[in-house]
Structures are given as structure tokens and as C-alpha cells.
Amino acid sequence: MNTQAPRGKQPDEIRRDFPIFSAHPDLVYLDSAATTQKPRRVLDAIRDYYEQRNANVHRAAHTLATEATVAFESARARVRDFIGAASVGEVIWTRGTTEAINLVAASLREMELTRRDIVITELEHHSNIVPWQQLAAKIGGKLKVARITSGGEIDLEDLAAKLGDKTLIVAFNHVSNALGTLNPVAEICALARTRGALVLVDGAQATGHIEIDVKELGCDFYAFSGHKMFGPTGIGVLYGREDVLETLPVWQTGGEMIERVSFDGTTFNRLPYRFEAGTPNIAGAIGLAAAVEYIQSLDRAAASEHEHRLLALARSGLQQIDGVRVMAPDAPRSGVLSFVDEDVHHQDLGTLLNEQSIALRTGHHCAMPLMERLGVAGVTRVSVAPYNSEEDIARLLDALAKARALLA
Ligand code: PLP
């Protein structure tokens, strides 16, 4: 086994930043693609807000409200810098990736459209399929699905062939949650732009692993979730290019998103508030900003190298087992490696691994059409974060051998 130490903070030190591993010292957590564990810094930031600054934002004149507003808006500015957005007006708080995608789909539904077709790919999570399916049905457009290659990558030729003068938007993920494939975002954005289409990138599996610069990527929208990058649940972000957001109709309505209301009509607030109706998830935004700070405190290149090394170890270990097939083994990847065990049902495998304190996810991973395309009922997914160690992978492989021996 490769014993080369990662640069930067060592996995053991990183692990100590996460209280859950003290509560469960034996845990091998390989399910970070579902949700990451939370570092103390994030837990402290949320507690500090509720204990020291709790008040509603933007409205009241009192000191606590000012402090809460400053913390909340500073969180937005931190996220702006983290993703390279041009302004805070481009950073809209949502409940997560799912809500961010729904926001765009719901808003487009209200527009006078000359283009109606939507292009997605076979690699998508349900949250980047169903909103577009619903939108296409509503506006009378076609939902076109770009194929993947036998290697598990988006087939760019097929994608290009599916684009046309009627394409309204192209929506695809940065990293596949089911296969781990890392997609060529900038290339696809450039392709879509030549056909005048909008582009939404589902970044749910990317922001915790890869440095993001939305301007360099060239997308119109970028959606992500706090809980998959060490932040709390219930908070996420829709990045939207300002000139595009300015053309979008509002979606949810009510307080906060208005400028002036009378019984005769309402005028709407400026960006980003016009897309944020109601009291926002203040603690969530503050927690997400603390997660961003935590990520920035790590040596990101070293963390990424470390994750790649762990996945390479898992891949070579799995490939030595007769009856185990690694999915998309040669695709560029980030954070995730999946496999199919031809001899053991994935649910049984999940249960037997859990009995040995290995936490991972088996099944369709909210990507039923992808499973169908791959001809499998489900896959077993190993997903890593910087707190995982080579020891975790060794324990996984050992537990897998024991589980298979039991069922053979
Ligand atoms: N997109 C991808 C690629 C995901 O992995 C997930 C969650 O697993 C989502 C979207 C949905 O994220 P959320 O449930 O946080 O809205």
C-alpha cells in the first residue's frame, strides 16, 4: 500500500477537527458525497450566531439586528469570493442545489420564450432531471438527453448534435454523484454559448473538492449545497450571472423580495433579494461561510491529491477482486468511485459493511435513468473527503472481503 504522506494538514489532524469522529472512533465514513461531516468551526459559528447575535436580518434598527445582518451579508461576500462571482448580487441563498435548480426552472416558466428545448445528460441526479422535465412539458419544449460514452463520460459529440437554435438551456453536473466523473465544464459552456443557449452547472459534488471560478467556467448558473462541503443542511447557493438574473422573473413572493407593496401592485427588490422571499436561513448562511473558511484553511491541492490517492487505492484493490466491476474506471474523477459486485446484491453488501462500521451508500443514488443506461440495479459508492485515510480504504477492502466470504 502507498504510504506516502499527503502535504498540508495530515488526515489525522483534519479528522480531529470533526467532533463526530471522537463520538464514533471506529467509524469509516465513506459517504461524504451524500453529506460531509461538519468541522468544529462550522458548529461553533452556528452556535455563536444563536448565542451572541440572534436577530432577524435587514429590517430592525437595533444593534443585534445590525450584527446579524453584517454576519449574514459577510457570509454572502465570502461565498462570492469563493466561487469568483462578480458581485454579491449574483449569490442567491437557497435551501440547496435542488432548490437552486427549481428556482431557475420556475422562473424560466414565467418568461415569454422563443427557445423551448432543454438539453441535459444521462449522468444527471434526479434534481437536475425532474425540474427540466416538468418545465419542458409546461412550455411545450423537448427534453433532449445527451448520451454518455462506455467510459462514463459525457459524449460531447452527441451533446453538440443535440444543441440547436431552439435550445433554451443546457444543464449538467460538474461531477457525477453516481460515477464520480469530472466533466469538462468550460468546454461544454463554450459549446452551448456558440448556440446561444443558457448553461446551468450542478456543482453539488464539486465545490467541496475543486476550486471554482464561475467566470472562468463561463456558465450562466452554478448551483451547490452547503452540506456537501462541510456546511449545514438547508442552505445552498444559486450563482447567476447578473445580466441573466436581471432578465428572470421572480419566483417565490412575499417579504424581503419587495421594494414597495400596495394593494394595486408590487415592485421588486434589487438582486439578490428579489429571489429571496421570507426570512432566510441566517444560521445556515453563517455556517456555510465558516465551511468555506475551513476549506480555505486547508492546502486544497494537497487535499485533492490525497483524495485522488485514496480513490486510486480503492480502485486497484477493487479491481483485484473477481466479480467486482469498477464503474468508469478511467474517467477523470473527483471524490467518488463506484462499483458493482456481480455476486452480492448491493443492499446486502451495504448492510454487511455497516456491521463492520463502514458507512457508504448503495443503490441508484438518485440517478435511476443512469442506472438503467448502465444496465445495473444499483452501485456501491465510495466517496471520500480530506478526513479519510489510507487506513479507511484498507478497512473497506478488508470488510468487503469478509462480507463476500460470508455470502459466497
Ligand atoms: N446534484 C447532485 C450531483 C447531487 O449529488 C445532489 C445530492 O446528492 C443533488 C444535486 C441534490 O442536492 P441537495 O439534495 O442538497 O439539494
Side-chain angles (χ1 to χ4, degrees):
M1 185 162 279
N2 185 343
T3 51
Q4 193 189 348
R7 291 196 320 273
K9 230 180 187 183
Q10 303 295 302
D12 265 4
E13 282 173 83
I14 293 178
R15 216 175 159 79
R16 282 196 292 276
D17 294 335
F18 291 77
I20 197 134
F21 295 121
S22 308
H24 303 275
D26 200 36
L27 175 66
V28 175
Y29 189 74
L30 295 169
D31 198 19
S32 293
T35 198
T36 57
Q37 297 301 341
K38 316 305 171 199
R40 195 168 288 104
R41 185 192 286 242
V42 168
L43 307 175
D44 287 349
I46 295 169
R47 170 177 288 275
D48 174 77
Y49 161 67
Y50 280 126
E51 285 185 355
Q52 308 290 332
R53 270 169 261 275
N54 179 52
N56 209 334
V57 289
H58 297 147
R59 283 175 282 236
H62 61 79
T63 306
L64 270 187
T66 307
E67 285 187 17
T69 303
V70 167
F72 179 69
E73 291 302 336
S74 306
R76 198 191 302 271
R78 188 164 274 280
V79 169
R80 173 202 58 201
D81 297 343
F82 181 64
I83 59 171
S87 71
V88 285
E90 296 186 329
V91 177
I92 299 164
W93 298 119
T94 63
R95 281 194 296 127
T97 308
T98 305
E99 190 174 74
I101 297 171
N102 273 276
L103 187 164
V104 177
S107 186
L108 290 173
R109 197 173 60 208
E110 301 305 316
M111 288 179 82
E112 299 265 333
L113 297 166
T114 50
R115 294 161 169 257
R116 295 190 159 75
D117 293 348
I118 296 158
V119 177
I120 59 171
T121 83
E122 287 179 332
L123 267 188
E124 303 314 313
H125 186 280
H126 295 161
S127 64
N128 204 23
I129 300 174
V130 186
W132 304 121
Q133 208 167 41
Q134 295 290 103
L135 176 64
K138 199 85 184 172
I139 62 179
K142 289 197 190 85
L143 182 69
K144 299 188 175 179
V145 185
R147 286 198 297 266
I148 54 167
T149 64
S150 55
E153 299 179 55
I154 295 174
D155 180 337
L156 294 182
E157 267 180 38
D158 190 56
L159 180 92
K162 297 227 151 84
L163 296 174
D165 296 345
K166 297 205 182 104
T167 311
L168 169 65
I169 190 162
V170 181
F172 64 98
N173 60 45
H174 196 154
V175 174
S176 156
N177 64 305
L179 298 184
T181 318
L182 170 63
N183 294 311
V185 175
E187 202 177 331
I188 298 176
C189 289
L191 198 61
R193 243 194 335 267
T194 61
R195 308 312 299 256
L198 294 168
V199 184
L200 179 142
V201 181
D202 166 357
Q205 294 297 342
T207 45
H209 303 274
I210 299 166
E211 287 190 43
I212 307 295
D213 185 321
V214 287
K215 287 201 289 297
E216 268 176 28
L217 294 175
C219 55
D220 298 289
F221 302 105
Y222 195 97
F224 59 100
S225 301
H227 72 99
K228 292 185 195 287
M229 47 177 287
F230 313 119
T233 51
I235 187 77
V237 170
L238 173 69
Y239 156 80
R241 238 182 52 211
E242 195 163 329
D243 56 327
V244 178
L245 287 177
E246 291 290 4
T247 66
L248 287 190
V250 298
W251 78 310
Q252 293 178 346
T253 54
E256 283 281 304
M257 53 78 68
I258 55 88
E259 182 188 58
R260 192 175 163 73
V261 179
S262 78
F263 288 120
D264 297 323
T266 296
T267 54
F268 302 121
N269 208 340
R270 64 181 197 279
L271 290 173
Y273 309 109
R274 62 197 290 258
F275 291 108
E276 294 179 356
T279 297
N281 183 352
I282 305 163
I286 290 168
L288 175 51
V292 167
E293 272 173 39
Y294 183 75
I295 289 175
Q296 290 171 333
S297 78
L298 302 175
D299 177 338
R300 292 203 80 184
S304 166
E305 262 175 49
H306 175 61
E307 289 177 354
H308 277 100
R309 192 161 45 243
L310 297 184
L311 294 180
L313 282 174
R315 185 180 77 165
S316 67
L318 290 166
Q319 282 177 328
Q320 281 162 34
I321 306 173
D322 248 5
V324 166
R325 181 158 54 100
V326 173
M327 309 304 285
D330 301 318
R333 71 181 55 258
S334 170
V336 167
L337 184 85
S338 295
F339 64 95
V340 171
D341 192 320
E342 312 286 4
D343 304 325
V344 182
H345 192 276
H346 56 80
Q347 269 168 2
D348 296 336
L349 203 56
T351 307
L352 287 174
L353 291 176
N354 178 52
E355 282 170 10
Q356 299 175 77
S357 300
I358 314 288
L360 47 62
R361 190 64 67 102
T362 71
H364 58 64
H365 304 281
C366 294
M368 284 183 182
L370 174 63
M371 297 299 125
E372 207 174 313
R373 158 70 177 81
L374 298 170
V376 297
V379 298
T380 300
R381 180 179 74 184
V382 179
S383 56
V384 296
Y387 41 64
N388 289 116
S389 63
E390 294 182 10
E391 172 71 20
D392 288 346
I393 301 300
R395 280 195 48 202
L396 163 71
L397 294 171
D398 184 53
L400 184 61
K402 288 194 178 119
R404 299 187 92 238
L406 208 67
L407 293 170

